[in-house]
Amino acid sequence: MPHKTLTLVLITKPNEVLLGYKKRGFGSYKWNGFGGKVEENESIREAAIRELKEESGLVVSPNNLEQVGIINFEFVGDPIILEVHVFTSAIYDGQPFETEEMIPKWFKLQDIPFHEMWADDRLWFPLLLSGKKFQGYFLFQGHDVILKHALNIVENFCNLATE
């Protein structure tokens, strides 16, 4: 099946995570991390840095961006698998601000709005927040129902984003 490579960046600080409320496009009206498509002639890491800046105004250096996961998403009726490379960083420059696409907001870890996020987030977010690296697969019916999933902790994570 054809793949589309995407990025997702979650900025953290002690006991908080920065999420963005998606105002338009795929995943609109949900809270999510910041990210998007990897452009031609762009590495996965470069795309993550660019998307974070475009969607939140924050700047992160390549050395401060840690890849923590890869999740493949499949949607019934759509032949393209979304391969999402998940990153975190606690070191960044700037203050988040609203952009055309996202409204950023800090959430206390106990107040993460899972009921207003993708259904898979409540399954892998705890791994990310506890410092574990993971690989996952989710099969969705529409945008709200998970039909099948697999989620594995990875001890020796192969950082594909450096390629």
Side-chain angles (χ1 to χ4, degrees):
M1 285 187 121
H3 278 63
K4 183 185 216 178
T5 305
L6 303 163
T7 64
L8 184 66
V9 179
L10 292 143
I11 300 296
T12 62
K13 53 187 182 182
N15 302 312
E16 291 186 81
V17 64
L18 182 67
L19 298 175
Y21 185 76
K22 190 88 185 297
K23 298 185 329 187
R24 64 177 192 195
F26 186 74
S28 55
Y29 312 116
K30 294 182 189 289
W31 289 99
N32 203 352
F34 303 89
K37 293 186 283 281
V38 176
E39 303 292 343
E40 196 173 330
N41 300 317
E42 182 178 53
S43 74
I44 294 168
R45 188 172 296 275
E46 289 168 342
I49 292 166
R50 175 185 52 76
E51 288 281 354
L52 176 66
K53 184 175 183 184
E54 287 175 5
E55 294 182 350
S56 73
L58 297 180
V59 176
V60 66
S61 81
N63 295 336
N64 293 327
L65 197 61
E66 180 184 11
Q67 185 169 11
V68 296
I70 297 176
I71 306 172
N72 287 304
F73 293 96
E74 188 176 355
F75 293 85
V76 172
D78 188 337
I80 298 174
I81 301 268
L82 302 181
E83 180 183 284
V84 179
H85 293 255
V86 183
F87 297 87
T88 62
S89 182
I91 302 170
Y92 56 89
D93 290 317
Q95 291 295 319
F97 59 83
E98 182 174 345
T99 63
E100 288 182 16
E101 199 167 337
M102 303 283 264
I103 302 170
K105 180 180 175 184
W106 288 102
F107 287 91
K108 298 274 185 209
L109 297 184
Q110 67 270 20
D111 297 329
I112 294 173
F114 287 115
H115 61 286
E116 296 178 63
M117 297 169 71
W118 285 96
D120 59 282
D121 289 352
R122 70 179 66 241
L123 299 173
W124 61 264
F125 243 70
L127 297 176
L128 175 140
L129 295 173
S130 66
K132 293 183 172 64
K133 297 184 185 208
F134 56 90
Q135 290 183 319
Y137 167 81
F138 291 89
L139 173 63
F140 272 83
Q141 174 76 54
H143 288 182
D144 298 314
V145 178
I146 298 171
L147 296 178
K148 185 166 59 169
H149 81 279
L151 197 55
N152 300 299
I153 294 171
V154 180
E155 294 299 326
N156 297 313
F157 191 74
C158 176
N159 192 343
L160 299 175
T162 58
E163 296 176 353

